[in-house]
PDB file of all heavy atoms in Angstrom:
ATOM      1  N   LYS A   1     -80.688-184.032 115.666  1.00 82.00           N
ATOM      2  CA  LYS A   1     -80.011-184.314 116.930  1.00 82.00           C
ATOM      3  C   LYS A   1     -78.672-185.028 116.770  1.00 82.00           C
ATOM      4  O   LYS A   1     -77.879-185.058 117.704  1.00 82.00           O
ATOM      5  CB  LYS A   1     -80.933-185.144 117.828  1.00 82.00           C
ATOM      6  CG  LYS A   1     -82.159-184.348 118.237  1.00 82.00           C
ATOM      7  CD  LYS A   1     -83.011-185.111 119.189  1.00 82.00           C
ATOM      8  CE  LYS A   1     -84.216-184.249 119.560  1.00 82.00           C
ATOM      9  NZ  LYS A   1     -85.011-184.855 120.592  1.00 82.00           N
ATOM     10  N   ALA A   2     -78.432-185.614 115.628  1.00 78.00           N
ATOM     11  CA  ALA A   2     -77.188-186.360 115.420  1.00 78.00           C
ATOM     12  C   ALA A   2     -76.018-185.397 115.286  1.00 78.00           C
ATOM     13  O   ALA A   2     -76.163-184.303 114.740  1.00 78.00           O
ATOM     14  CB  ALA A   2     -77.293-187.222 114.176  1.00 78.00           C
ATOM     15  N   PRO A   3     -74.872-185.784 115.801  1.00 79.00           N
ATOM     16  CA  PRO A   3     -73.697-184.925 115.658  1.00 79.00           C
ATOM     17  C   PRO A   3     -73.343-184.724 114.179  1.00 79.00           C
ATOM     18  O   PRO A   3     -73.679-185.544 113.325  1.00 79.00           O
ATOM     19  CB  PRO A   3     -72.583-185.712 116.361  1.00 79.00           C
ATOM     20  CG  PRO A   3     -73.260-186.745 117.178  1.00 79.00           C
ATOM     21  CD  PRO A   3     -74.599-186.982 116.567  1.00 79.00           C
ATOM     22  N   GLU A   4     -72.669-183.626 113.919  1.00 77.00           N
ATOM     23  CA  GLU A   4     -72.266-183.276 112.555  1.00 77.00           C
ATOM     24  C   GLU A   4     -71.412-184.394 111.951  1.00 77.00           C
ATOM     25  O   GLU A   4     -70.498-184.896 112.587  1.00 77.00           O
ATOM     26  CB  GLU A   4     -71.453-181.982 112.590  1.00 77.00           C
ATOM     27  CG  GLU A   4     -71.232-181.347 111.236  1.00 77.00           C
ATOM     28  CD  GLU A   4     -72.500-180.721 110.674  1.00 77.00           C
ATOM     29  OE1 GLU A   4     -73.357-180.288 111.453  1.00 77.00           O
ATOM     30  OE2 GLU A   4     -72.616-180.699 109.448  1.00 77.00           O
ATOM     31  N   GLY A   5     -71.707-184.812 110.741  1.00 75.00           N
ATOM     32  CA  GLY A   5     -70.906-185.810 110.051  1.00 75.00           C
ATOM     33  C   GLY A   5     -71.287-187.257 110.350  1.00 75.00           C
ATOM     34  O   GLY A   5     -70.764-188.171 109.742  1.00 75.00           O
ATOM     35  N   LEU A   6     -72.218-187.476 111.289  1.00 75.00           N
ATOM     36  CA  LEU A   6     -72.605-188.844 111.624  1.00 75.00           C
ATOM     37  C   LEU A   6     -73.310-189.521 110.452  1.00 75.00           C
ATOM     38  O   LEU A   6     -73.085-190.694 110.177  1.00 75.00           O
ATOM     39  CB  LEU A   6     -73.500-188.872 112.870  1.00 75.00           C
ATOM     40  CG  LEU A   6     -73.921-190.253 113.346  1.00 75.00           C
ATOM     41  CD1 LEU A   6     -72.688-191.043 113.786  1.00 75.00           C
ATOM     42  CD2 LEU A   6     -74.910-190.157 114.475  1.00 75.00           C
ATOM     43  N   GLY A   7     -74.139-188.760 109.743  1.00 70.00           N
ATOM     44  CA  GLY A   7     -74.833-189.316 108.576  1.00 70.00           C
ATOM     45  C   GLY A   7     -73.872-189.777 107.504  1.00 70.00           C
ATOM     46  O   GLY A   7     -74.036-190.829 106.898  1.00 70.00           O
ATOM     47  N   ASP A   8     -72.807-188.971 107.307  1.00 77.00           N
ATOM     48  CA  ASP A   8     -71.791-189.353 106.320  1.00 77.00           C
ATOM     49  C   ASP A   8     -71.075-190.624 106.748  1.00 77.00           C
ATOM     50  O   ASP A   8     -70.838-191.523 105.945  1.00 77.00           O
ATOM     51  CB  ASP A   8     -70.764-188.227 106.141  1.00 77.00           C
ATOM     52  CG  ASP A   8     -71.392-186.973 105.532  1.00 77.00           C
ATOM     53  OD1 ASP A   8     -72.443-187.106 104.877  1.00 77.00           O
ATOM     54  OD2 ASP A   8     -70.821-185.880 105.722  1.00 77.00           O
ATOM     55  N   LYS A   9     -70.724-190.689 108.028  1.00 79.00           N
ATOM     56  CA  LYS A   9     -70.045-191.882 108.539  1.00 79.00           C
ATOM     57  C   LYS A   9     -70.939-193.108 108.426  1.00 79.00           C
ATOM     58  O   LYS A   9     -70.485-194.191 108.055  1.00 79.00           O
ATOM     59  CB  LYS A   9     -69.618-191.688 110.004  1.00 79.00           C
ATOM     60  CG  LYS A   9     -68.482-190.750 110.186  1.00 79.00           C
ATOM     61  CD  LYS A   9     -67.212-191.350 109.634  1.00 79.00           C
ATOM     62  CE  LYS A   9     -66.048-190.398 109.849  1.00 79.00           C
ATOM     63  NZ  LYS A   9     -64.852-190.835 109.179  1.00 79.00           N
ATOM     64  N   ALA A  10     -72.221-192.947 108.750  1.00 76.00           N
ATOM     65  CA  ALA A  10     -73.156-194.074 108.656  1.00 76.00           C
ATOM     66  C   ALA A  10     -73.270-194.548 107.215  1.00 76.00           C
ATOM     67  O   ALA A  10     -73.309-195.753 106.940  1.00 76.00           O
ATOM     68  CB  ALA A  10     -74.528-193.673 109.191  1.00 76.00           C
ATOM     69  N   GLY A  11     -73.286-193.613 106.282  1.00 76.00           N
ATOM     70  CA  GLY A  11     -73.333-193.978 104.861  1.00 76.00           C
ATOM     71  C   GLY A  11     -72.098-194.736 104.430  1.00 76.00           C
ATOM     72  O   GLY A  11     -72.169-195.720 103.688  1.00 76.00           O
ATOM     73  N   GLN A  12     -70.925-194.286 104.921  1.00 82.00           N
ATOM     74  CA  GLN A  12     -69.679-194.971 104.589  1.00 82.00           C
ATOM     75  C   GLN A  12     -69.667-196.384 105.152  1.00 82.00           C
ATOM     76  O   GLN A  12     -69.266-197.338 104.472  1.00 82.00           O
ATOM     77  CB  GLN A  12     -68.485-194.192 105.143  1.00 82.00           C
ATOM     78  CG  GLN A  12     -68.195-192.912 104.410  1.00 82.00           C
ATOM     79  CD  GLN A  12     -67.097-192.095 105.086  1.00 82.00           C
ATOM     80  OE1 GLN A  12     -66.677-192.419 106.191  1.00 82.00           O
ATOM     81  NE2 GLN A  12     -66.654-191.030 104.424  1.00 82.00           N
ATOM     82  N   VAL A  13     -70.118-196.524 106.400  1.00 80.00           N
ATOM     83  CA  VAL A  13     -70.166-197.849 107.029  1.00 80.00           C
ATOM     84  C   VAL A  13     -71.102-198.767 106.254  1.00 80.00           C
ATOM     85  O   VAL A  13     -70.792-199.942 106.003  1.00 80.00           O
ATOM     86  CB  VAL A  13     -70.598-197.740 108.511  1.00 80.00           C
ATOM     87  CG1 VAL A  13     -70.923-199.104 109.093  1.00 80.00           C
ATOM     88  CG2 VAL A  13     -69.512-197.060 109.319  1.00 80.00           C
ATOM     89  N   ALA A  14     -72.247-198.237 105.836  1.00 79.00           N
ATOM     90  CA  ALA A  14     -73.210-199.048 105.074  1.00 79.00           C
ATOM     91  C   ALA A  14     -72.613-199.489 103.745  1.00 79.00           C
ATOM     92  O   ALA A  14     -72.780-200.649 103.332  1.00 79.00           O
ATOM     93  CB  ALA A  14     -74.499-198.255 104.845  1.00 79.00           C
ATOM     94  N   ARG A  15     -71.891-198.591 103.063  1.00 83.00           N
ATOM     95  CA  ARG A  15     -71.270-198.963 101.779  1.00 83.00           C
ATOM     96  C   ARG A  15     -70.214-200.043 101.971  1.00 83.00           C
ATOM     97  O   ARG A  15     -70.140-201.003 101.210  1.00 83.00           O
ATOM     98  CB  ARG A  15     -70.674-197.729 101.104  1.00 83.00           C
ATOM     99  CG  ARG A  15     -71.717-196.852 100.425  1.00 83.00           C
ATOM    100  CD  ARG A  15     -71.067-195.776  99.565  1.00 83.00           C
ATOM    101  NE  ARG A  15     -70.329-194.788 100.352  1.00 83.00           N
ATOM    102  CZ  ARG A  15     -70.871-193.753 100.986  1.00 83.00           C
ATOM    103  NH1 ARG A  15     -72.174-193.571 100.925  1.00 83.00           N
ATOM    104  NH2 ARG A  15     -70.130-192.902 101.663  1.00 83.00           N
ATOM    105  N   VAL A  16     -69.393-199.904 103.007  1.00 81.00           N
ATOM    106  CA  VAL A  16     -68.356-200.909 103.283  1.00 81.00           C
ATOM    107  C   VAL A  16     -69.005-202.247 103.631  1.00 81.00           C
ATOM    108  O   VAL A  16     -68.571-203.304 103.171  1.00 81.00           O
ATOM    109  CB  VAL A  16     -67.424-200.434 104.430  1.00 81.00           C
ATOM    110  CG1 VAL A  16     -66.544-201.566 104.917  1.00 81.00           C
ATOM    111  CG2 VAL A  16     -66.577-199.259 103.956  1.00 81.00           C
ATOM    112  N   ALA A  17     -70.075-202.202 104.426  1.00 78.00           N
ATOM    113  CA  ALA A  17     -70.764-203.436 104.811  1.00 78.00           C
ATOM    114  C   ALA A  17     -71.349-204.126 103.586  1.00 78.00           C
ATOM    115  O   ALA A  17     -71.304-205.352 103.478  1.00 78.00           O
ATOM    116  CB  ALA A  17     -71.868-203.129 105.822  1.00 78.00           C
ATOM    117  N   ARG A  18     -71.887-203.347 102.652  1.00 79.00           N
ATOM    118  CA  ARG A  18     -72.449-203.954 101.435  1.00 79.00           C
ATOM    119  C   ARG A  18     -71.347-204.610 100.607  1.00 79.00           C
ATOM    120  O   ARG A  18     -71.540-205.673 100.042  1.00 79.00           O
ATOM    121  CB  ARG A  18     -73.169-202.897 100.602  1.00 79.00           C
ATOM    122  CG  ARG A  18     -74.605-202.749 100.991  1.00 79.00           C
ATOM    123  CD  ARG A  18     -75.370-201.873  99.999  1.00 79.00           C
ATOM    124  NE  ARG A  18     -76.068-200.867 100.777  1.00 79.00           N
ATOM    125  CZ  ARG A  18     -75.769-199.581 100.837  1.00 79.00           C
ATOM    126  NH1 ARG A  18     -74.803-199.085 100.115  1.00 79.00           N
ATOM    127  NH2 ARG A  18     -76.454-198.764 101.599  1.00 79.00           N
ATOM    128  N   ARG A  19     -70.189-203.948 100.521  1.00 84.00           N
ATOM    129  CA  ARG A  19     -69.093-204.501  99.721  1.00 84.00           C
ATOM    130  C   ARG A  19     -68.483-205.736 100.362  1.00 84.00           C
ATOM    131  O   ARG A  19     -68.040-206.644  99.677  1.00 84.00           O
ATOM    132  CB  ARG A  19     -67.992-203.455  99.527  1.00 84.00           C
ATOM    133  CG  ARG A  19     -68.230-202.607  98.298  1.00 84.00           C
ATOM    134  CD  ARG A  19     -67.044-201.712  98.011  1.00 84.00           C
ATOM    135  NE  ARG A  19     -67.328-200.424  98.639  1.00 84.00           N
ATOM    136  CZ  ARG A  19     -66.484-199.734  99.387  1.00 84.00           C
ATOM    137  NH1 ARG A  19     -65.287-200.170  99.607  1.00 84.00           N
ATOM    138  NH2 ARG A  19     -66.829-198.593  99.920  1.00 84.00           N
ATOM    139  N   ARG A  20     -68.460-205.778 101.682  1.00 80.00           N
ATOM    140  CA  ARG A  20     -67.805-206.881 102.392  1.00 80.00           C
ATOM    141  C   ARG A  20     -68.817-207.718 103.157  1.00 80.00           C
ATOM    142  O   ARG A  20     -68.607-208.088 104.299  1.00 80.00           O
ATOM    143  CB  ARG A  20     -66.762-206.315 103.341  1.00 80.00           C
ATOM    144  CG  ARG A  20     -65.694-205.562 102.577  1.00 80.00           C
ATOM    145  CD  ARG A  20     -64.638-205.057 103.451  1.00 80.00           C
ATOM    146  NE  ARG A  20     -63.662-204.321 102.657  1.00 80.00           N
ATOM    147  CZ  ARG A  20     -62.749-203.560 103.183  1.00 80.00           C
ATOM    148  NH1 ARG A  20     -62.656-203.439 104.472  1.00 80.00           N
ATOM    149  NH2 ARG A  20     -61.907-202.931 102.407  1.00 80.00           N
ATOM    150  N   ARG A  21     -69.889-208.030 102.507  1.00 80.00           N
ATOM    151  CA  ARG A  21     -70.985-208.762 103.135  1.00 80.00           C
ATOM    152  C   ARG A  21     -70.562-210.146 103.605  1.00 80.00           C
ATOM    153  O   ARG A  21     -70.931-210.581 104.688  1.00 80.00           O
ATOM    154  CB  ARG A  21     -72.138-208.877 102.132  1.00 80.00           C
ATOM    155  CG  ARG A  21     -73.426-209.317 102.742  1.00 80.00           C
ATOM    156  CD  ARG A  21     -74.547-209.224 101.745  1.00 80.00           C
ATOM    157  NE  ARG A  21     -74.890-207.823 101.582  1.00 80.00           N
ATOM    158  CZ  ARG A  21     -75.514-207.327 100.538  1.00 80.00           C
ATOM    159  NH1 ARG A  21     -75.848-208.097  99.549  1.00 80.00           N
ATOM    160  NH2 ARG A  21     -75.810-206.062 100.455  1.00 80.00           N
ATOM    161  N   GLY A  22     -69.765-210.855 102.833  1.00 81.00           N
ATOM    162  CA  GLY A  22     -69.332-212.214 103.187  1.00 81.00           C
ATOM    163  C   GLY A  22     -68.535-212.263 104.468  1.00 81.00           C
ATOM    164  O   GLY A  22     -68.899-212.977 105.413  1.00 81.00           O
ATOM    165  N   PRO A  23     -67.423-211.511 104.548  1.00 80.00           N
ATOM    166  CA  PRO A  23     -66.628-211.534 105.788  1.00 80.00           C
ATOM    167  C   PRO A  23     -67.437-211.049 107.002  1.00 80.00           C
ATOM    168  O   PRO A  23     -67.302-211.598 108.095  1.00 80.00           O
ATOM    169  CB  PRO A  23     -65.464-210.584 105.493  1.00 80.00           C
ATOM    170  CG  PRO A  23     -65.343-210.577 104.012  1.00 80.00           C
ATOM    171  CD  PRO A  23     -66.729-210.769 103.487  1.00 80.00           C
ATOM    172  N   LEU A  24     -68.266-210.042 106.814  1.00 74.00           N
ATOM    173  CA  LEU A  24     -69.071-209.551 107.932  1.00 74.00           C
ATOM    174  C   LEU A  24     -70.054-210.614 108.407  1.00 74.00           C
ATOM    175  O   LEU A  24     -70.289-210.768 109.606  1.00 74.00           O
ATOM    176  CB  LEU A  24     -69.811-208.275 107.539  1.00 74.00           C
ATOM    177  CG  LEU A  24     -68.960-207.015 107.487  1.00 74.00           C
ATOM    178  CD1 LEU A  24     -69.769-205.839 106.966  1.00 74.00           C
ATOM    179  CD2 LEU A  24     -68.398-206.685 108.850  1.00 74.00           C
ATOM    180  N   SER A  25     -70.617-211.351 107.475  1.00 79.00           N
ATOM    181  CA  SER A  25     -71.538-212.431 107.848  1.00 79.00           C
ATOM    182  C   SER A  25     -70.801-213.500 108.642  1.00 79.00           C
ATOM    183  O   SER A  25     -71.320-214.023 109.631  1.00 79.00           O
ATOM    184  CB  SER A  25     -72.163-213.063 106.605  1.00 79.00           C
ATOM    185  OG  SER A  25     -72.930-212.113 105.917  1.00 79.00           O
ATOM    186  N   ALA A  26     -69.589-213.825 108.225  1.00 80.00           N
ATOM    187  CA  ALA A  26     -68.799-214.836 108.938  1.00 80.00           C
ATOM    188  C   ALA A  26     -68.493-214.372 110.362  1.00 80.00           C
ATOM    189  O   ALA A  26     -68.620-215.145 111.319  1.00 80.00           O
ATOM    190  CB  ALA A  26     -67.501-215.112 108.177  1.00 80.00           C
ATOM    191  N   VAL A  27     -68.119-213.104 110.519  1.00 80.00           N
ATOM    192  CA  VAL A  27     -67.833-212.565 111.843  1.00 80.00           C
ATOM    193  C   VAL A  27     -69.099-212.599 112.698  1.00 80.00           C
ATOM    194  O   VAL A  27     -69.060-212.975 113.879  1.00 80.00           O
ATOM    195  CB  VAL A  27     -67.274-211.122 111.739  1.00 80.00           C
ATOM    196  CG1 VAL A  27     -67.247-210.438 113.089  1.00 80.00           C
ATOM    197  CG2 VAL A  27     -65.889-211.147 111.121  1.00 80.00           C
ATOM    198  N   ALA A  28     -70.240-212.234 112.104  1.00 81.00           N
ATOM    199  CA  ALA A  28     -71.498-212.242 112.854  1.00 81.00           C
ATOM    200  C   ALA A  28     -71.837-213.650 113.329  1.00 81.00           C
ATOM    201  O   ALA A  28     -72.284-213.847 114.470  1.00 81.00           O
ATOM    202  CB  ALA A  28     -72.623-211.689 111.987  1.00 81.00           C
ATOM    203  N   VAL A  29     -71.601-214.662 112.494  1.00 80.00           N
ATOM    204  CA  VAL A  29     -71.880-216.046 112.879  1.00 80.00           C
ATOM    205  C   VAL A  29     -70.970-216.465 114.037  1.00 80.00           C
ATOM    206  O   VAL A  29     -71.422-217.093 114.999  1.00 80.00           O
ATOM    207  CB  VAL A  29     -71.709-216.993 111.663  1.00 80.00           C
ATOM    208  CG1 VAL A  29     -71.686-218.439 112.093  1.00 80.00           C
ATOM    209  CG2 VAL A  29     -72.818-216.750 110.659  1.00 80.00           C
ATOM    210  N   VAL A  30     -69.693-216.098 113.969  1.00 82.00           N
ATOM    211  CA  VAL A  30     -68.756-216.447 115.037  1.00 82.00           C
ATOM    212  C   VAL A  30     -69.178-215.791 116.345  1.00 82.00           C
ATOM    213  O   VAL A  30     -69.216-216.437 117.403  1.00 82.00           O
ATOM    214  CB  VAL A  30     -67.310-216.051 114.649  1.00 82.00           C
ATOM    215  CG1 VAL A  30     -66.375-216.158 115.836  1.00 82.00           C
ATOM    216  CG2 VAL A  30     -66.822-216.914 113.498  1.00 82.00           C
ATOM    217  N   VAL A  31     -69.525-214.518 116.296  1.00 83.00           N
ATOM    218  CA  VAL A  31     -69.966-213.804 117.505  1.00 83.00           C
ATOM    219  C   VAL A  31     -71.221-214.459 118.069  1.00 83.00           C
ATOM    220  O   VAL A  31     -71.343-214.668 119.281  1.00 83.00           O
ATOM    221  CB  VAL A  31     -70.201-212.310 117.194  1.00 83.00           C
ATOM    222  CG1 VAL A  31     -70.929-211.615 118.336  1.00 83.00           C
ATOM    223  CG2 VAL A  31     -68.882-211.624 116.897  1.00 83.00           C
ATOM    224  N   LEU A  32     -72.140-214.799 117.212  1.00 81.00           N
ATOM    225  CA  LEU A  32     -73.372-215.452 117.644  1.00 81.00           C
ATOM    226  C   LEU A  32     -73.072-216.790 118.322  1.00 81.00           C
ATOM    227  O   LEU A  32     -73.636-217.107 119.376  1.00 81.00           O
ATOM    228  CB  LEU A  32     -74.313-215.654 116.449  1.00 81.00           C
ATOM    229  CG  LEU A  32     -75.679-216.233 116.745  1.00 81.00           C
ATOM    230  CD1 LEU A  32     -76.468-215.298 117.646  1.00 81.00           C
ATOM    231  CD2 LEU A  32     -76.426-216.482 115.463  1.00 81.00           C
ATOM    232  N   LEU A  33     -72.184-217.580 117.736  1.00 82.00           N
ATOM    233  CA  LEU A  33     -71.820-218.864 118.338  1.00 82.00           C
ATOM    234  C   LEU A  33     -71.176-218.670 119.708  1.00 82.00           C
ATOM    235  O   LEU A  33     -71.458-219.424 120.649  1.00 82.00           O
ATOM    236  CB  LEU A  33     -70.886-219.641 117.408  1.00 82.00           C
ATOM    237  CG  LEU A  33     -71.528-220.204 116.140  1.00 82.00           C
ATOM    238  CD1 LEU A  33     -70.447-220.795 115.241  1.00 82.00           C
ATOM    239  CD2 LEU A  33     -72.563-221.238 116.473  1.00 82.00           C
ATOM    240  N   VAL A  34     -70.299-217.671 119.839  1.00 84.00           N
ATOM    241  CA  VAL A  34     -69.655-217.396 121.125  1.00 84.00           C
ATOM    242  C   VAL A  34     -70.714-217.019 122.158  1.00 84.00           C
ATOM    243  O   VAL A  34     -70.691-217.516 123.291  1.00 84.00           O
ATOM    244  CB  VAL A  34     -68.591-216.283 120.973  1.00 84.00           C
ATOM    245  CG1 VAL A  34     -68.133-215.774 122.327  1.00 84.00           C
ATOM    246  CG2 VAL A  34     -67.414-216.797 120.159  1.00 84.00           C
ATOM    247  N   LEU A  35     -71.644-216.169 121.777  1.00 84.00           N
ATOM    248  CA  LEU A  35     -72.695-215.755 122.715  1.00 84.00           C
ATOM    249  C   LEU A  35     -73.574-216.934 123.129  1.00 84.00           C
ATOM    250  O   LEU A  35     -73.929-217.069 124.300  1.00 84.00           O
ATOM    251  CB  LEU A  35     -73.550-214.648 122.099  1.00 84.00           C
ATOM    252  CG  LEU A  35     -72.858-213.292 121.928  1.00 84.00           C
ATOM    253  CD1 LEU A  35     -73.776-212.324 121.184  1.00 84.00           C
ATOM    254  CD2 LEU A  35     -72.459-212.721 123.262  1.00 84.00           C
ATOM    255  N   VAL A  36     -73.906-217.786 122.195  1.00 82.00           N
ATOM    256  CA  VAL A  36     -74.730-218.960 122.515  1.00 82.00           C
ATOM    257  C   VAL A  36     -73.971-219.876 123.462  1.00 82.00           C
ATOM    258  O   VAL A  36     -74.535-220.391 124.433  1.00 82.00           O
ATOM    259  CB  VAL A  36     -75.134-219.705 121.209  1.00 82.00           C
ATOM    260  CG1 VAL A  36     -75.709-221.062 121.508  1.00 82.00           C
ATOM    261  CG2 VAL A  36     -76.125-218.865 120.419  1.00 82.00           C
ATOM    262  N   ARG A  37     -72.692-220.079 123.235  1.00 82.00           N
ATOM    263  CA  ARG A  37     -71.886-220.933 124.117  1.00 82.00           C
ATOM    264  C   ARG A  37     -71.812-220.369 125.530  1.00 82.00           C
ATOM    265  O   ARG A  37     -71.925-221.089 126.502  1.00 82.00           O
ATOM    266  CB  ARG A  37     -70.483-221.079 123.559  1.00 82.00           C
ATOM    267  CG  ARG A  37     -70.294-222.353 122.859  1.00 82.00           C
ATOM    268  CD  ARG A  37     -68.852-222.681 122.735  1.00 82.00           C
ATOM    269  NE  ARG A  37     -68.831-223.912 121.960  1.00 82.00           N
ATOM    270  CZ  ARG A  37     -67.797-224.374 121.360  1.00 82.00           C
ATOM    271  NH1 ARG A  37     -66.670-223.712 121.409  1.00 82.00           N
ATOM    272  NH2 ARG A  37     -67.854-225.487 120.696  1.00 82.00           N
ATOM    273  N   LYS A  38     -71.604-219.063 125.610  1.00 82.00           N
ATOM    274  CA  LYS A  38     -71.532-218.426 126.926  1.00 82.00           C
ATOM    275  C   LYS A  38     -72.846-218.593 127.668  1.00 82.00           C
ATOM    276  O   LYS A  38     -72.871-218.886 128.854  1.00 82.00           O
ATOM    277  CB  LYS A  38     -71.202-216.938 126.779  1.00 82.00           C
ATOM    278  CG  LYS A  38     -69.751-216.649 126.648  1.00 82.00           C
ATOM    279  CD  LYS A  38     -69.512-215.156 126.723  1.00 82.00           C
ATOM    280  CE  LYS A  38     -68.043-214.861 126.738  1.00 82.00           C
ATOM    281  NZ  LYS A  38     -67.792-213.426 126.926  1.00 82.00           N
TER     282      LYS A  38
END
């Protein structure tokens, strides 16, 4: 059911996320803090 190429894109996103785990974690913490404050 997924559109053509979505699996490839998801794989690319996962690889980038694995390589940049630190910055992504920092962004996730900031977003979480903003949501908690709101």
Side-chain angles (χ1 to χ4, degrees):
K1 294 184 180 187
E4 193 72 29
L6 182 64
D8 295 337
K9 288 291 181 188
Q12 288 174 351
V13 168
R15 282 190 293 279
V16 168
R18 271 190 231 108
R19 271 188 265 133
R20 298 183 181 167
R21 193 172 285 159
L24 284 175
S25 297
V27 168
V29 167
V30 169
V31 168
L32 184 63
L33 289 173
V34 168
L35 290 175
V36 167
R37 259 199 183 163
K38 276 189 174 185

